[in-house]
Amino acid sequence: MNTRTHSRSIQFIKKQVDDILQGMKLYSLPIKIEDVAKRAGLTVSPFDFEDDISGVLVIQDGKGVIGYNQSESRVRRRFTIAHEFGHFVLHREQSSMFMDKGFNAIFRSTHSGLSEQTQILEREANTFAAYILMPDHLLKEAIEKIDFDLGSEDDIKNLAKIFDVSSQAMYYRILNSGLLRFG
Ligand SMILES: [Zn+2]
């Protein structure tokens, strides 16, 4: 594995997402993430994983195969596919195998027990997942349409439903979006 100790910028990741979605004209909500990954040439398959494995990405001869844990909730499966797709787009030169366990920790800024390098890759894959499931301009439109209030659990839930993501994923996406104006 090549080492890289600096993170790619959010702008870089966002550009990758925009290029993919624009090329496919697949901007309707919720984003059909499995179709998007398949149209990008990946194979996407459900698996019966043991333990708390949420998903894997295996790269062989330049082609990516995503396996996701079919026993997990739909929003979780969607996030897993988006995350593994992110590893393929951003990290396929760096490793041929990614295995992801326990996405509960995904939004923490540091993952205990993981190397710094791994943490960078995981954060980048999560950023990719967040942006492809909740694209900037669509999120902005939705926020304006409902006159969004970050303090309202109902607003978060409604938005999460529109984008077919977990409320937690929506909350963090909005917090980190720079889309909210305060004061
Ligand atoms: Zn990962």
Side-chain angles (χ1 to χ4, degrees):
M1 197 191 263
N2 303 321
T3 53
R4 185 158 54 83
T5 52
H6 66 281
S7 296
R8 284 182 159 133
S9 73
I10 289 195
Q11 291 312 315
F12 175 84
I13 295 171
K14 215 179 109 185
K15 170 99 172 55
Q16 305 293 311
V17 167
D18 286 343
D19 286 351
I20 290 163
L21 290 179
Q22 272 168 16
M24 295 182 184
K25 298 187 170 58
L26 279 173
Y27 269 123
S28 65
L29 290 176
I31 297 294
K32 296 180 185 66
I33 189 63
E34 189 166 341
D35 290 349
V36 173
K38 284 176 174 171
R39 293 240 324 244
L42 285 94
T43 301
V44 182
S45 305
F47 274 95
D48 285 315
F49 286 121
E50 288 174 10
D51 303 328
D52 54 352
I53 294 171
S54 291
V56 298
L57 169 70
V58 178
I59 299 159
Q60 222 170 14
D61 303 326
K63 292 201 186 290
V65 178
I66 292 171
Y68 63 88
N69 188 331
Q70 61 182 348
S71 71
E72 294 185 332
S73 69
R74 194 185 64 252
V75 291
R76 182 85 164 249
R77 297 194 306 264
R78 285 169 52 74
F79 194 91
T80 296
I81 292 168
H83 176 103
E84 303 305 338
F85 186 23
H87 279 314
F88 181 78
V89 172
L90 301 169
H91 308 139
R92 62 179 182 269
E93 306 298 328
Q94 295 178 58
S95 179
S96 57
M97 165 90 187
F98 295 87
M99 181 183 291
D100 289 287
K101 286 181 158 193
F103 275 127
N104 285 330
I106 56 174
F107 299 111
R108 290 188 204 142
S109 55
T110 57
H111 304 237
S112 54
L114 297 180
S115 72
E116 188 188 356
Q117 168 71 8
T118 302
Q119 289 184 37
I120 288 173
L121 300 188
E122 292 315 310
R123 273 204 299 273
E124 289 177 352
N126 285 337
T127 300
F128 181 96
Y131 275 85
I132 201 163
L133 292 171
M134 298 165 270
D136 245 10
H137 68 283
L138 294 179
L139 184 58
K140 191 163 182 268
E141 271 174 33
I143 283 176
E144 282 167 2
K145 202 183 271 178
I146 68 168
D147 196 15
F148 177 78
D149 174 359
L150 186 62
S152 162
E153 259 178 56
D154 282 347
D155 280 3
I156 297 270
K157 263 187 210 156
N158 289 338
L159 276 182
K161 203 185 249 179
I162 293 168
F163 288 81
D164 205 3
V165 297
S166 70
S167 292
Q168 188 194 29
M170 179 55 73
Y171 180 76
Y172 281 96
R173 173 70 177 85
I174 290 173
L175 262 191
N176 296 322
S177 67
L179 292 174
L180 296 183
R181 286 184 301 268
F182 293 99

